[in-house]
């Protein structure tokens, strides 16, 4: 894409002009020469001879965080391709114009528009109110902040859950809070929870709350995000769980397995599996 490549070469130069001029004109000239040499080397790199469609296909094999996110920091062209709606959808309440493809004001709208296997990036900052949002296709939901506390999903009192999972899904780098009820209601499929904070509000009725509730009835194979899916169950890793009667409530033949806990100075991190008894 010639126009983007032209921007790539022109914009950094304009940034160089605005660089601090400490050390005199000679130092500024040296910085300019080094920057120009770097730009020519980058633009002549063999990977940049590939067309946009081929590069985007390569980016699709990268994990959304941190690999695909980091590719957007390389140059303007890579940022355009790494953030393309074909690779992930975005939920951002700060954007006023939602005519841009793949950008939504709420999680419910993004889930409805998503195709099986899509990744939804939820912008950091503020609180995203979620109530019984059903996810019936394989999706990946990712918080856009550096820490899970920067992206919060809040399930208000009077609703059963923030998210109701009926297919294989991955949830990472998110804080999910429930005032009463559960944070995540797992019906079927493989639910993967990584680097999250699940929090039930502490009040006299917290015995009715539970961060994770799994009600899947039996092992079966469903459409998955990866080829090595193990069927129905829950996998939790590097996740903080606070409040509620217990970390996970199961039914039927589901049992808690492979539990590991790390006690930190300010928090407790959990690793565990919820699988069907053989």
């Amino acid at each position: 894409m010639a126009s983007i490549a032209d921007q790539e070469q022109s914009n950094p130069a304009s940034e160089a002009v605005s660089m601090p001029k400490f050390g005199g004109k000679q130092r500024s000239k040296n910085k300019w020469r080094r920057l120009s040499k770097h730009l020519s080397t980058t633009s002549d790199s063999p990977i940049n001879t590939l067309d946009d469609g081929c590069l985007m296909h390569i980016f699709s094999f990268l994990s959304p965080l941190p690999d695909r996110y980091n590719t957007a920091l390389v140059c303007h062209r890579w940022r355009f391709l790494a953030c393309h709606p074909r690779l992930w959808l975005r939920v951002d309440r700060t954007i006023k114009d939602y005519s841009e493809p793949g950008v939504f004001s709420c999680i419910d709208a993004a889930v409805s528009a998503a195709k099986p296997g899509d990744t939804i990036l939820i912008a950091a900052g503020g609180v995203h109110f979620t109530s019984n949002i059903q996810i019936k296709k394989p999706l990946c939901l990712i918080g856009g902040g550096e820490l899970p506390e920067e992206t919060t999903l809040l399930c208000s009192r009077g609703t059963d859950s923030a998210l109701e999972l009926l297919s294989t899904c991955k949830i990472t780098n998110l804080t999910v809070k429930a005032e009463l009820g559960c944070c995540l209601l797992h019906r079927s499929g493989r639910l993967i929870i990584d680097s999250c904070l699940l929090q039930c509000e502490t009040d006299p009725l917290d015995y009715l709350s539970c961060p994770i509730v799994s009600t899947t009835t039996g092992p079966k194979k469903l459409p998955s995000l990866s080829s090595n899916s193990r069927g129905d169950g829950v996998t939790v890793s590097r996740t903080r769980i606070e409040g509620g009667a217990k970390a996970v409530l199961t039914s039927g033949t589901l049992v808690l397995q492979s539990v590991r806990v790390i006690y930190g100075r300010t928090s407790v991190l959990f690793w565990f599996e919820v699988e069907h008894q053989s």
Side-chain angles (χ1 to χ4, degrees):
M1 187 174 292
S3 60
I4 297 178
D6 292 339
Q7 292 176 14
E8 175 189 341
Q9 294 182 5
S10 60
N11 289 350
S14 63
E15 293 173 3
V17 173
S18 63
M19 284 183 177
K21 297 181 180 180
F22 304 127
K25 294 182 179 179
Q26 185 61 38
R27 183 174 299 179
S28 297
K29 287 182 178 179
N30 292 337
K31 286 182 178 180
W32 184 279
R33 291 190 185 116
R34 288 197 300 268
L35 180 60
S36 299
K37 183 178 179 181
H38 171 73
L39 285 173
S40 61
T41 303
T42 302
S43 60
D44 294 338
S45 177
I47 194 169
N48 282 323
T49 62
L50 301 175
D51 61 27
D52 290 350
C54 187
L55 264 180
M56 195 180 301
H57 183 66
I58 293 173
F59 292 166
S60 69
F61 291 98
L62 300 176
S63 59
L65 289 177
D67 298 332
R68 198 186 304 161
Y69 180 85
N70 288 337
T71 61
L73 306 178
V74 174
C75 63
H76 291 277
R77 182 192 180 203
W78 283 34
R79 177 181 177 84
F80 174 81
L81 297 176
C83 297
H84 197 277
R86 281 175 52 187
L87 296 183
W88 48 17
L89 308 179
R90 287 188 293 144
V91 176
D92 193 342
R93 296 183 296 110
T94 64
I95 297 179
K96 296 181 180 179
D97 182 11
Y98 291 99
S99 60
E100 180 183 348
V103 181
F104 302 90
S105 61
C106 62
I107 298 174
D108 199 2
V111 169
S112 298
K115 298 178 181 178
D118 276 351
T119 298
I120 299 176
L121 179 66
I122 304 172
V127 176
H128 300 267
F129 292 94
T130 56
S131 298
N132 299 328
I133 295 179
Q134 289 190 338
I135 302 180
K136 301 179 180 180
K137 46 198 165 187
L139 295 177
C140 180
L141 275 63
I142 298 179
E146 294 184 7
L147 299 172
E149 291 87 346
E150 297 178 19
T151 312
T152 300
L153 277 57
L154 178 62
C155 172
S156 58
R157 187 182 294 263
T159 55
D160 295 332
S161 64
L163 301 175
E164 183 178 353
L165 296 313
L166 295 93
S167 183
T168 294
C169 292
K170 182 175 182 179
I171 298 172
T172 183
N173 200 41
L174 285 171
T175 293
V176 186
K177 291 185 178 181
E179 294 183 355
L180 190 63
C182 64
C183 299
L184 303 174
L185 178 55
H186 171 239
R187 297 290 193 188
S188 60
R190 166 66 51 174
L191 173 59
I192 302 171
I193 305 168
D194 179 57
S195 302
C196 289
L197 168 59
L198 306 181
Q199 189 176 60
C200 291
E201 296 294 334
T202 302
D203 59 31
L205 299 177
D206 63 354
Y207 66 92
L208 297 176
S209 301
C210 195
I212 304 171
V213 174
S214 183
T215 62
T216 180
T217 55
K220 55 185 177 182
K221 288 284 185 180
L222 287 177
S224 64
L225 293 170
S226 62
S227 58
N228 58 355
S229 175
R230 293 172 292 169
D232 287 348
V234 180
T235 298
V236 174
S237 61
R238 294 178 294 180
T239 293
R240 291 162 51 190
I241 298 178
E242 301 175 357
K246 55 179 67 175
V248 57
L249 178 65
T250 64
S251 62
T253 60
L254 288 169
V255 293
L256 197 62
Q257 301 177 4
S258 307
V259 178
R260 288 194 297 136
V261 180
I262 293 182
Y263 290 88
R265 182 173 298 178
T266 59
S267 61
V268 180
L269 295 179
F270 288 88
W271 285 256
F272 59 79
E273 303 277 347
V274 177
E275 303 283 358
H276 290 276
Q277 282 183 317
S278 56

